[in-house]
Amino acid sequence: MSVFELLDPRLVEFLQMQRIVEPTEPQRKAIPSILSGKHLLLVAPTGIGKTEAAMLPILTVLARETGPGIKCLYVTPLRALNRDLLKRLKEMGASVGVKVAVRHGDTTQSERTAQSKSPPDVMITTPETLQVLFTGRNLRRHLANVRHVVVDEIHELAEDERGAQLSVGLERLVGVAGEFQRIGLSATVGSVDEVSGFLSGTGREVTNLKVSAAKEMAISVESPQVEDGDKALATRLQTDEKHLAAMRRCRELVDGHSSTLFFVNTRDYAEALGVRYHLWDEAFSVGVHHGSLSKDIRVQMEDDFKEQRLKALICTSSLELGIDVGSADFTIQFNSPRQVTRIIQRVGRAGHKHYETSTGSIITTTPAETAESLVIARRAMLEELERYRIRENPLGVLANQLVAMTLAEPKVDKEWAWTVIRRAYPFRSLLRADFDEVLRLLGELHILWNDETGFRRKTSGMKHFFDNISMIPDERTYRIREVSSRRVIGTLDESFVASYAEPYATFVARGRTWRVIEVGEDEVMVEQVREIGATPSWIGEEIPVPYEVAQEVGAMRRLLPMDLYPADETTKKEVVDWVARQKDQPVPTDKLVTVEQGDGVIVINCCFGSRVNETLAKLITTLLAARFGESIGVHTEPYSIVLEVPRGLRVDDVLRTLKETDTTGLHQLMRLIVRSSSDLRWQFVHVAKKFGAVRKDADYKMLNVSKLIDVFERSPIFDEAVSKTLWENMDVEGTANVLRRIQDGTIELVPCKLSPMGKEAIGDRRELVQPQRADKAVLLALKDRLASEDIVLVCMNCRSQRKTTVGALPDRVKCAKCGGVLVAAVQPYAKKDFDVLRKGTSDEEGKRALKRIYKNANLVMAHGKKAAMAMVGRGVGADTAARILARYHLEEDEFLRDILAAEITYARTKRFWD
């Protein structure tokens, strides 16, 4: 007997019209369990009908029920997922007379009003909108009828604060609706029991149903070789030959398939690739899709891809989850996806049918990227997933939910609230003292009224709640508006706008380059141009490499078991040759760490992954800085830690620190170290907003963060900021384990001179526009661009002005009118500088501007054309130019490389409070 016979006959007829006659394995196993009312976690590969496995039996049950109210909530992490689901579920629901609707941040006011008066039977929503449903009197009454909750892509929610918020929200829903059936759906979960606990909360039993990836997945890794003709095109597109070879191979793969999803790890990488493909060939039909593009643009890109008006869509995790974007038959991943779960999700987008093989290629640009990609591809095809962690007791979420409770009840009983919070899985170990302290602080901050037995709403609390519904760290954003059509293209983060988006500056968005016309209070007016602009930076982008993946890369270096990995022989040989380039130098592996001395740097080559290396770096630099009394620069990657050290600090000092650090008190030591880090400052501001200590719209530039930290140091805000920083950026437990293995000799420490891998670590930036070592063609292209820039020469003696280009300047510049040698090279759009020179000024800002112009003139007097060339580099001010000129005034290539590095650093500017 087919399980479809258990369904409503009208649904079976609907499925037959869709040419679905046989259930998939997840459907065979899940449908009977769901019809019996069991709580269920379904873990199954992408594209084999998980949504139908959950909703077909639920719709069968709902078809028998009558009466108003929301009977099923379908919670998804992404709005795009909701749009896609709505189309599918509406058709299924309509076949049995069940009304389905979606509600999230993009839902219009008229639709919301209609839903409040006449709610759907099934509501598709996000975790944030679920919180809002509790606050409306009518909607809350409708929620009393909920009998089923489905959480889709549950792995995407469970490990962060959105998940903790949802977990408490489900327990609050029990208070409104009584117990309901819970169903979790996920394509990739490394720790099934952990996610099962998240779904159930305390005191409920969940059936775990895991379907193996019987659906075949074919993943290959390829490192394309440079060919004749790549150099000239690379120069035109301002990249290096190896990246161009990878782009060329990707284009060949796109041309060889009908519809290709082209994944990258970050939004800036998506934009950088998109603009280069369009400059290469405007006829190449490729689009760009990521979360910072406007809804209209995203929907247009999705529809164009579905209708095959686009052959490829360059995208980030915005299309990683279960969005059906049509008949994608191939997946490209550009460079390593960093994590096994990522590549399983992404390749699963291709062949989005249970009978189709999902195929994809990881295209790499360096041997290090190739080695990591090989490991991830092997682990993906054997389903060796990362360890999955759920953070306990996030106090920011606790504060959010306590305030949320006051909006739903006239007065909230403390004992009831305590019981509800503790039933949620992330808060199962919450201490009553922490609960009471958070309530006390919210009362002191005037977010709610707090007394002996209960707490209730304050007017300010309502505004605070709606300002802070989302637990996602936010930064003020600016709309990008095209000046001629007035169309909104996307958004830019405030830090990028503040540091870069001035009139005439260019940047990349939607795979096109735009010139800034005007910067307003909340939007940037732009026009399109045909050149390569700066790539914006957005917060929260980097994907950490897990410890297990980094260790296997180390084992690969040690054993070179290349037959285990899915790649062609040329690609495998590239890894073997890369390891061989160490020659007589030791190779850093899973069991060997090299500590290498360079000129002003020490490189620790260690295969421990992103979070362990970040923890080690913080530990080492803090202890050494305290011992030597000087600051130490640091840059971490999953396989290396680069220390910029003062004179006198040697490799032996690093070895001693690693061998002698006591691991028993490491957690407390790291809490002290984090106290003074820039990571904490950013995290502290975010947490302070969630507690109401800082307004959501507060201008970061006006905040005295150090003073705020001093004020709240002994409060839940500070404790939460420290705990969250350690959780998100570091792995203290893993680091303690590594240190113990070093100290007992299981991991060998080898001091040595700077090796080829050490030199790579110094130059490693994982950048599209900055290769590991910019070749001559890239530097010549940069030099040509700088030479063609317009410049205005201003004599500081007679104030005469003359416009020219940088390339036309002599090596020694002097005023053509009076012969003066103190001449500033000012960019034509620097209006403030010209105002100061023309009018003079007595205020502090004007004095600083004049001082900067004189510094500019002194550099030009000393270095002539080279000084002007440095200062027209995008983002290279007089101070940076002075440092560049002081270091490399004889070496032109090194001089140009420093300008390139400064431009990229500027485009990917750090948050300004770092």
Side-chain angles (χ1 to χ4, degrees):
M1 170 181 148
S2 169
V3 295
F4 281 175
E5 294 179 35
L6 301 173
L7 303 175
D8 188 293
R10 292 170 292 176
L11 278 174
V12 176
E13 184 180 346
F14 170 81
L15 292 173
Q16 289 172 346
M17 289 174 63
Q18 306 296 314
R19 298 181 180 178
I20 300 172
V21 293
E22 289 295 327
T24 63
E25 186 180 356
Q27 292 163 2
R28 282 197 303 272
K29 293 182 175 181
I31 287 173
S33 290
I34 294 172
L35 284 171
S36 69
K38 292 179 181 177
H39 304 302
L40 179 75
L41 174 64
L42 175 58
V43 181
T46 296
I48 55 176
K50 289 192 301 296
T51 300
E52 288 75 10
M55 291 307 298
L56 287 171
I58 289 175
L59 290 172
T60 294
V61 173
L62 296 185
R64 303 179 195 139
E65 298 181 358
T66 57
I70 302 166
K71 302 175 187 68
C72 173
L73 286 172
Y74 195 108
V75 183
T76 73
L78 292 178
R79 293 177 187 175
L81 207 57
N82 299 350
R83 290 194 300 271
D84 186 62
L85 272 172
L86 183 61
K87 294 175 184 176
R88 292 157 60 191
L89 293 184
K90 264 188 172 180
E91 293 174 354
M92 277 196 284
S95 71
V96 289
V98 173
K99 183 180 176 184
V100 180
V102 66
R103 185 176 180 121
H104 53 57
D106 290 339
T107 305
T108 64
Q109 186 57 50
S110 61
E111 289 176 300
R112 295 180 192 188
T113 302
Q115 289 170 0
S116 181
K117 293 177 180 177
S118 177
D121 300 295
V122 178
M123 180 172 281
I124 307 170
T125 191
T126 60
E128 292 77 19
T129 302
L130 173 60
Q131 297 294 320
V132 179
L133 298 182
F134 288 109
T135 64
R137 187 172 65 251
N138 289 339
L139 285 171
R140 185 175 169 81
R141 188 177 71 251
H142 298 320
L143 286 177
N145 298 291
V146 169
R147 294 294 173 264
H148 314 270
V149 172
V150 181
V151 184
D152 201 358
E153 307 290 358
I154 190 170
H155 71 286
E156 191 74 13
L157 290 167
E159 65 181 344
D160 64 18
E161 289 188 339
R162 296 180 78 200
Q165 184 190 49
L166 173 63
S167 185
V168 177
L170 293 180
E171 298 304 330
R172 291 173 59 205
L173 183 59
V174 171
V176 176
E179 288 291 344
F180 46 81
Q181 185 179 30
R182 300 173 181 223
I183 300 165
L185 305 178
S186 178
T188 47
V189 177
S191 308
V192 173
D193 289 342
E194 184 86 338
V195 181
S196 178
F198 168 82
L199 176 67
S200 69
T202 58
R204 301 179 190 90
E205 189 173 321
V206 169
T207 300
N208 296 332
L209 180 55
K210 186 172 183 180
V211 177
S212 179
K215 168 184 175 178
E216 290 187 22
M217 181 174 288
I219 306 171
S220 63
V221 179
E222 185 177 347
S223 177
Q225 302 304 298
V226 175
E227 297 180 358
D228 294 341
D230 286 346
K231 187 172 185 177
L233 185 55
T235 301
R236 181 161 74 86
L237 298 182
Q238 295 181 29
T239 187
D240 67 286
E241 292 173 55
K242 186 65 174 175
H243 269 95
L244 195 281
M247 288 177 63
R248 173 174 39 75
R249 179 56 181 151
C250 290
R251 182 171 180 177
E252 291 169 0
L253 289 169
V254 168
D255 289 338
H257 294 85
S258 60
S259 296
T260 300
L261 284 171
F262 190 145
F263 281 101
V264 295
N265 292 337
T266 61
R267 285 170 278 185
D268 55 357
Y269 225 119
E271 293 291 4
L273 275 174
V275 73
R276 281 164 173 78
Y277 275 122
H278 287 128
L279 285 172
W280 180 358
D281 183 359
E282 193 64 47
F284 183 47
S285 56
V286 60
V288 174
H289 186 290
H290 58 71
S292 287
L293 295 174
S294 68
K295 175 191 171 185
D296 290 345
I297 296 292
R298 292 197 307 271
V299 172
Q300 176 193 324
M301 291 293 174
E302 291 164 22
D303 290 344
D304 285 351
F305 187 74
K306 285 180 187 179
E307 300 300 323
Q308 298 194 347
R309 290 187 289 270
L310 292 174
K311 278 187 69 68
L313 197 54
I314 302 174
C315 50
T316 61
S317 56
S318 61
L319 284 182
E320 184 179 297
L321 303 183
I323 308 164
D324 190 350
V325 283
S327 56
D329 64 340
F330 195 71
T331 299
I332 292 172
Q333 166 69 45
F334 198 88
N335 276 326
S336 166
R338 311 294 179 230
Q339 297 174 353
V340 178
T341 49
R342 298 277 173 179
I343 197 64
I344 289 175
Q345 287 280 49
R346 293 174 178 186
V347 173
R349 301 292 95 220
H352 202 124
K353 297 288 185 296
H354 70 92
Y355 52 81
E356 295 176 343
T357 297
S358 293
T359 57
S361 288
I362 307 174
I363 306 300
T364 62
T365 59
T366 69
E369 292 281 354
T370 303
E372 185 176 284
S373 299
L374 288 169
V375 166
I376 288 173
R378 186 200 70 77
R379 295 175 75 92
M381 289 192 286
L382 294 177
E383 293 188 90
E384 296 177 11
L385 307 179
E386 292 89 13
R387 180 168 54 101
Y388 195 87
R389 312 181 306 160
I390 294 178
R391 183 177 167 225
E392 293 186 16
N393 306 322
L395 298 184
V397 176
L398 174 60
N400 171 278
Q401 289 301 283
L402 291 173
V403 176
M405 288 175 178
T406 66
L407 272 64
E409 299 288 345
K411 184 172 182 178
V412 184
D413 179 73
K414 283 186 180 180
E415 294 307 316
W416 174 84
W418 164 249
T419 302
V420 169
I421 295 286
R422 280 283 298 248
R423 282 206 310 259
Y425 185 78
F427 292 99
R428 64 196 183 281
S429 63
L430 180 69
L431 298 176
R432 182 58 187 255
D434 291 336
F435 174 87
D436 290 337
E437 185 64 15
V438 169
L439 257 181
R440 182 195 63 78
L441 181 59
L442 291 171
E444 289 182 357
L445 293 170
H446 305 291
I447 303 301
L448 49 73
W449 294 103
N450 180 33
D451 59 33
E452 290 298 317
T453 60
F455 53 99
R456 54 194 171 87
R457 176 194 315 177
K458 258 194 166 186
T459 304
S460 56
M462 181 179 292
K463 181 179 186 306
H464 166 76
F465 172 75
F466 284 105
D467 281 347
N468 293 276
I469 288 174
S470 174
M471 299 309 300
I472 301 170
D474 55 358
E475 181 175 12
R476 181 184 172 192
T477 58
Y478 286 71
R479 292 188 300 274
I480 309 167
R481 190 181 295 279
E482 205 270 321
V483 68
S484 58
S485 68
R486 311 296 294 179
R487 188 181 188 188
V488 174
I489 297 158
T491 61
L492 293 172
D493 282 354
E494 182 181 38
S495 55
F496 182 81
V497 173
S499 302
Y500 187 82
E502 57 189 16
Y504 303 102
T506 58
F507 65 91
V508 176
R510 213 191 79 194
R512 300 287 195 274
T513 299
W514 308 88
R515 178 182 288 124
V516 175
I517 303 299
E518 182 183 357
V519 180
E521 283 189 14
D522 57 3
E523 66 182 24
V524 180
M525 302 295 292
V526 299
E527 63 180 359
Q528 189 174 335
V529 294
R530 281 191 60 78
E531 60 180 79
I532 293 178
T535 307
S537 58
W538 288 278
I539 64 171
E541 289 261 88
E542 292 301 324
I543 300 171
V545 175
Y547 173 80
E548 299 87 348
V549 168
Q551 281 282 279
E552 186 172 336
V553 170
M556 177 192 288
R557 293 176 181 178
R558 177 167 55 88
L559 301 170
L560 294 175
M562 304 314 295
D563 290 345
L564 297 177
Y565 297 101
D568 60 83
E569 293 305 314
T570 301
T571 298
K572 292 177 182 179
K573 185 175 183 299
E574 181 178 90
V575 175
V576 174
D577 292 345
W578 172 56
V579 173
R581 283 201 292 272
Q582 286 288 93
K583 295 182 179 177
D584 58 340
Q585 293 275 75
V587 177
T589 70
D590 55 329
K591 296 185 177 181
L592 187 147
V593 172
T594 63
V595 185
E596 306 178 8
Q597 183 84 54
D599 183 13
V601 297
I602 291 175
V603 179
I604 307 167
N605 278 311
C606 45
C607 302
F608 301 138
S610 301
R611 288 194 170 103
V612 170
N613 280 3
E614 182 69 23
T615 314
L616 275 175
K618 285 277 194 295
L619 176 69
I620 292 166
T621 53
T622 302
L623 294 178
L624 290 178
R627 184 186 306 170
F628 284 84
E630 294 190 54
S631 60
I632 298 168
V634 64
H635 174 75
T636 64
E637 289 289 344
Y639 307 96
S640 63
I641 301 169
V642 179
L643 307 175
E644 297 178 16
V645 297
R647 187 170 298 169
L649 199 158
R650 312 299 297 171
V651 163
D652 288 345
D653 301 306
V654 176
L655 296 175
R656 193 177 306 116
T657 301
L658 291 170
K659 290 176 180 177
E660 297 177 2
T661 298
D662 184 7
T663 60
T664 55
L666 186 61
H667 198 277
Q668 192 56 39
L669 176 59
M670 290 310 302
R671 287 181 68 88
L672 292 172
I673 288 171
V674 164
R675 164 71 174 79
S676 58
S677 73
S678 60
D679 294 332
L680 179 75
R681 295 167 65 82
W682 182 83
Q683 198 68 262
F684 181 87
V685 171
H686 167 62
V687 173
K689 286 183 175 184
K690 297 307 173 190
F691 273 83
V694 173
R695 293 194 326 273
K696 181 181 180 180
D697 61 351
D699 187 343
Y700 300 136
K701 290 171 282 189
M702 304 302 292
L703 288 176
N704 187 333
V705 180
S706 297
K707 187 173 181 179
L708 275 172
I709 289 175
D710 289 340
V711 169
F712 290 102
E713 185 168 8
R714 291 177 176 82
S715 78
I717 296 176
F718 182 79
D719 290 342
E720 171 69 357
V722 170
S723 297
K724 196 174 174 191
T725 301
L726 289 172
W727 176 265
E728 291 186 355
N729 302 338
M730 301 178 205
D731 180 358
V732 179
E733 183 182 332
T735 303
N737 181 51
V738 163
L739 287 172
R740 284 192 289 270
R741 290 172 63 206
I742 288 172
Q743 291 164 10
D744 68 16
T746 307
I747 295 176
E748 185 180 0
L749 281 182
V750 179
C752 58
K753 64 183 181 181
L754 201 60
S755 72
M757 285 187 179
K759 291 174 182 175
E760 278 184 25
I762 294 172
D764 189 10
R765 291 293 182 272
R766 296 187 187 271
E767 284 287 347
L768 175 69
V769 291
Q770 183 188 17
Q772 282 190 309
R773 193 64 172 165
D775 70 9
K776 193 73 176 177
V778 175
L779 298 178
L780 286 173
L782 173 64
K783 183 179 179 182
D784 289 344
R785 173 169 66 77
L786 297 176
S788 65
E789 292 275 359
D790 290 334
I791 202 79
V792 178
L793 299 178
V794 181
C795 177
M796 304 307 292
N797 179 43
C798 69
R799 292 294 199 266
S800 65
Q801 300 179 9
R802 176 167 64 93
K803 188 174 182 180
T804 183
T805 62
V806 172
L809 294 177
D811 289 334
R812 288 288 177 264
V813 178
K814 64 180 181 180
C815 176
K817 185 175 181 180
C818 72
V821 293
L822 195 60
V823 178
V826 181
Q827 287 165 309
Y829 51 79
K831 184 176 181 297
K832 289 181 181 177
D833 288 352
F834 289 114
D835 287 345
V836 168
L837 289 167
R838 187 173 65 255
K839 301 175 184 176
T841 184
S842 58
D843 62 24
E844 287 302 315
E845 185 179 354
K847 289 176 182 176
R848 285 195 298 271
L850 195 59
K851 184 178 180 181
R852 185 180 67 248
I853 297 166
Y854 270 104
K855 181 178 284 188
N856 174 317
N858 278 300
L859 286 174
V860 173
M861 182 171 64
H863 300 283
K865 179 194 294 188
K866 194 167 284 189
M869 189 175 289
M871 287 185 289
V872 297
R874 291 175 180 133
V876 186
D879 289 336
T880 304
R883 288 195 296 274
I884 292 172
L885 292 161
R887 287 184 64 193
Y888 297 127
H889 61 282
L890 296 178
E891 299 285 343
E892 182 173 81
D893 282 5
E894 295 301 319
F895 163 71
L896 290 168
R897 283 192 183 99
D898 255 28
I899 295 175
L900 182 62
E903 289 194 343
I904 290 164
T905 300
Y906 190 54
R908 290 174 53 84
T909 181
K910 292 181 178 179
R911 302 172 191 92
F912 49 74
W913 56 73
D914 282 0

